[in-house]
Amino acid sequence: MTPLPKTYAWLARMEPLPRMISAALAEFGVRETAGAANTPQILRWAVETGLASDYRADSIPWCGLFMAHIARVAGREPPPAPLWALSWARFGVEGGQPELGDVLVFMRQGGGHVGLYIGEDSRCYHVLGGNQGDRV
């Protein structure tokens, strides 16, 4: 596994972790392949989640695919249409103040983004997710 940034090294020592965080950390460091080639591991997630007919290249936004993969590894059922980040707003139960491992959905121009809450500061939430800077 790729080492975590120093700020979040505590995640590697914490037990027990929420199951989806553990599944996500197991994939930490996976990155999208630049250009026309694809990262085999990302395409394998599409096959394993039954989404290969809709997801064929890592140039397609893959935060929702990553979440579908880690949800399944953690024994959870992804929401319908999991490739769409905003679909994850229907996952679980809204809980108010986020806690470690909660799914956060963000709106942005042209769509959204989804990831797992791992902290925050005075300016923003910190999330662990796929396709953040083209990597986990």
Side-chain angles (χ1 to χ4, degrees), residues 2 12 15 21 44 50 56-57 61 64 73 76 78 81 95 104 123 129-130 133 136:
T2 301
E15 288 194 28
I21 292 278
R44 201 167 31 252
R56 296 187 179 137
V73 168
R76 304 287 309 271
L104 298 184
R123 297 179 309 124
V136 174

Side-chain angles (χ1 to χ4, degrees), residues 121-132:
D121 59 35
S122 62
R123 297 179 309 124
C124 60
Y125 290 116
H126 299 226
V127 297
L128 173 60
N131 205 25
Q132 295 180 179

Side-chain angles (χ1 to χ4, degrees), residues 37-80:
N38 293 296
T39 302
Q41 192 163 0
I42 295 172
L43 295 183
R44 201 167 31 252
W45 298 338
V47 171
E48 292 169 358
T49 56
L51 298 168
S53 64
D54 295 319
Y55 193 89
R56 296 187 179 137
D58 69 10
S59 59
I60 299 168
W62 49 276
C63 63
L65 173 64
F66 176 72
M67 292 295 293
H69 165 68
I70 64 170
R72 290 221 183 243
V73 168
R76 304 287 309 271
E77 186 65 31

Side-chain angles (χ1 to χ4, degrees), residues 89-112:
R90 296 187 304 270
F91 181 79
V93 178
E94 189 172 332
Q97 176 63 34
E99 297 180 12
L100 182 64
D102 283 353
V103 174
L104 298 184
V105 178
F106 301 92
M107 304 252 333
R108 63 175 174 79
Q109 188 171 353

